[in-house]
Each structure stands twice: as C-alpha cells, then as structure tokens.
Amino acid sequence: MAMVKSDKIWMNGRWVPWDDAKIHVLSHVAHYASSVFEGIRAYDTPQGPNVFRLEDHIDRLMLSAKIYRMETPVTREQIRNACVEVVSLNGLHECYIRPLIYRGYENLGVNPFNSPVEVAIAAYPWGKYLGEDALTKGVAVKVSTWQRFAPNTLPAMAKASANYMNSQLIKMEALVDGYAEGIALDVHGSVSEGSGQNLFAVIRGELVTPPLHSSILAGITRDTVITLAREMSLGVREMTMPRELLYAADELFFTGTAVEVSPITSVDKLPVGNGTRGPITKQIQDAFFSVVRGQSAKHRDWLTLVPASARSGAAVAAGARPS
C-alpha cells in the first residue's frame, strides 16, 4: 500500500512540512530499533472526524515508553492533543495516526541513555490494510514457521518497533508463499497472533482468543471486540489455543487498528467453516463499525471529536488537501 502524503508532521512540539520531517542517519533508532509507537484511526462520523479510543492508545504508548525507560521531552497531554490537531491541520476526515517516540542522534552504542528521546506524530489517509475486499471476502493465511518471542526476552505488552522485526519475518514469509498473512505460534507451540493483529476463533457460538501470556500485544481493538461481544450475549474465553484449534474453528478473524475486524477464510489451505465470512464475524463487524462511525449510542466515550473550530481553519492554514 503506497504512502499518501499529508502536509504537516508534529516533531517535538513543532509542525514540520512532511518532506522536512527527517532524522540523522546515525540516530540511535535507525541502528537499534529504539522506538515505541501507536497506530490510531480517526473515522468520519455524522459529527465530524472522531479519533477512536485515543486515551487508551496514549496510555499504551506511555506504558511502552516507561518499559523502555524513555522519558519524553513533552507531556502525555501534549502528545494526546497533537494526535487530534494533526488530523485537523492536515484537513483529514478519515485517517491513520502514527505517534512515535524514538531515540535520536547523539551517541552510537547499545547504551541508549545518552541519545535524546524525541517524539513525532503523523496522520495520513489509509484504506483497508489487507485489501478492499478483505472485510467481506476474508483472507487466506498460513501458520508461520517463525514463532513469537519468548516471555522475558522482548516485552510483548510494549508496542515497540523492535518487536516488529519478528512481525516482518512472519509477513514476508506469508506473502512469498502466496498468503495474505501469517499466524505465529508462541514458544510453547500455542497460537499467539498475526504479524500485527490479534486473533479470535468462533467455536460453537463462543469467541476464543489467546491470553496475554501467549506473547500477544494487549490489543485495543481486541478489547473492543471482547466488550462488544459480551454486550451481545456472546461468550468470550481467553485460553491457550493449540494450533489444531485453528482448523477446528467455525470462524476465525483478525482484529487490530489497521485490519479492524477481518475474517480469515482458510488456514494452511484448509477452509475455515464453509470458507466464507461467518455470521458471528459479520455481527461483530457490524457492531464495531456502528460504534467507530458514531452510528451507535453506545460507547460515545470511545470517540474523541476533532473540534469544529480546529477543522474550520486547518485546511487553509496547512495548505491541506481535503480527503
């Protein structure tokens, strides 16, 4: 998916033109993957652009920074506000927001403490992560030969860039082998997650998903789906999942900010259910999109409105292109 440029990026409290948002080639982050980040979506709603579960994303970002002992030069509130402002300043209505905390240029060595901690926030249009048809037609996946990292090696609860080197191996292998995605097992051979997505199985009308100790990210969309499913009187179990449960499931789907709620129609060329999107997956999708698009009266507290006062002058001020 090609990157679609916006106009401005927030860097350490300043708005910088997209093409000028640069770091030094010897920055610590470029050599040691010393950064943490979030992926956040803003959706166009009848009330205007709304950022979905912003506070939860910022909380997780700050936890990731804490785990990696990264003291930011700006406050949590400044980062949170900039995630709203970056949408308005770029004249966007529906977009992906990427806040990044990283170690910059000063010293080159494993010890990160002498390299400055910096913050950047970008927003840009982004469509369907696995393709425009993925939400309705589903995707074919494989179980990866690459495992998720073991507990007490890399902290899975931190959304750290270093973790995504493992994700890249999973993703590349899947694509080369002709699949849309890969599913990783943990070091014990149990189901973990996709390259950048959490995973749910539907078994006899109940949702089953791997627990945090299976080296998964504590996904915000995952939490959203668990909440919505229970409100719909669907059972939800977090349990260690053997690999063969993937083949026994009636339905499977990925969740995540990028993939939203995306059905899986085959695993290792074995069909999931009847090989199409299942009814419970669709039910979850309908509830999810109703909430994120502001059509449901429930969970309005999950939506952060981009203020109209900010939007009104933003496009002119930034020279932004309307989306």
Side-chain angles (χ1 to χ4, degrees):
M1 185 183 299
M3 176 73 72
V4 178
K5 290 185 181 181
S6 293
D7 288 285
K8 300 284 186 180
I9 292 178
W10 192 87
M11 298 187 74
N12 299 318
R14 297 187 304 115
W15 293 106
V16 178
W18 181 281
D19 290 331
D20 294 336
K22 299 173 183 177
I23 61 171
H24 196 282
V25 70
L26 293 181
S27 295
H28 198 273
V29 63
H31 299 260
Y32 301 105
S34 46
S35 61
V36 297
F37 69 95
E38 278 298 315
I40 311 170
R41 275 195 190 261
Y43 289 91
D44 200 8
T45 75
Q47 297 77 35
N50 268 280
V51 183
F52 184 60
R53 296 196 68 168
L54 175 61
E55 302 299 339
D56 298 298
H57 279 288
I58 299 303
D59 285 344
R60 188 172 66 182
L61 178 67
M62 302 313 291
L63 173 62
S64 299
K66 179 180 180 180
I67 290 170
Y68 279 95
R69 301 177 186 270
M70 303 172 81
E71 296 185 11
T72 60
V74 293
T75 65
R76 178 200 184 281
E77 200 63 20
Q78 286 175 294
I79 295 171
R80 181 252 183 227
N81 291 342
C83 285
V84 176
E85 292 168 9
V86 73
V87 178
S88 65
L89 190 62
N90 287 292
L92 299 168
H93 298 279
E94 190 148 326
C95 63
Y96 186 80
I97 306 165
R98 171 55 61 86
L100 174 74
I101 300 173
Y102 61 96
R103 293 191 184 271
Y105 170 72
E106 189 64 37
N107 286 278
L108 200 59
V110 173
N111 175 12
F113 285 134
N114 293 322
S115 296
V117 175
E118 305 187 23
V119 184
I121 302 171
Y124 46 91
W126 202 10
K128 303 305 177 188
Y129 181 72
L130 296 176
E132 290 303 316
D133 293 335
L135 294 180
T136 54
K137 295 184 178 179
V139 294
V141 307
K142 66 168 289 184
V143 175
S144 181
T145 63
W146 294 99
Q147 293 179 322
R148 272 301 192 213
F149 32 83
N152 212 33
T153 55
L154 291 171
M157 286 184 66
K159 194 171 175 69
S161 299
N163 297 3
Y164 285 80
M165 294 299 287
N166 175 257
S167 297
Q168 288 178 49
L169 293 169
I170 296 165
K171 183 72 173 183
M172 288 188 293
E173 179 185 76
L175 293 174
V176 168
D177 289 350
Y179 299 88
E181 261 299 343
I183 294 174
L185 306 180
D186 66 17
V187 292
H188 305 293
S190 300
V191 175
S192 180
E193 59 184 357
S195 68
Q197 314 89 2
N198 293 123
L199 177 77
F200 284 84
V202 179
I203 300 172
R204 298 187 182 92
E206 182 181 46
L207 268 60
V208 179
T209 191
L212 293 184
H213 63 249
S214 289
S215 295
I216 70 167
L217 181 69
I220 291 167
T221 310
R222 174 183 181 270
D223 178 73
T224 300
V225 165
I226 290 172
T227 300
L228 295 175
R230 286 174 173 158
E231 290 175 352
M232 296 155 60
S233 299
L234 293 170
V236 181
R237 271 194 297 161
E238 297 180 65
M239 58 170 273
T240 302
M241 292 176 58
R243 173 177 177 164
E244 56 269 29
L245 205 58
L246 297 172
Y247 311 128
D250 302 311
E251 304 176 35
L252 290 172
F253 59 88
F254 283 132
T255 64
T257 297
V259 298
E260 298 167 311
V261 179
S262 292
I264 298 167
T265 50
S266 69
V267 180
D268 296 334
K269 302 194 179 196
L270 293 171
V272 177
N274 64 6
T276 63
R277 176 179 61 177
I280 290 179
T281 301
K282 185 177 186 306
Q283 193 178 355
I284 294 290
Q285 284 181 321
D286 290 344
F288 173 79
F289 285 110
S290 177
V291 169
V292 300
R293 297 200 178 282
Q295 297 161 350
S296 172
K298 293 182 177 180
H299 301 296
R300 291 296 176 90
D301 57 315
W302 284 348
L303 299 176
T304 299
L305 182 66
V306 177
S309 58
R311 297 197 305 271
S312 61
V316 175
R321 298 172 296 276
S323 60

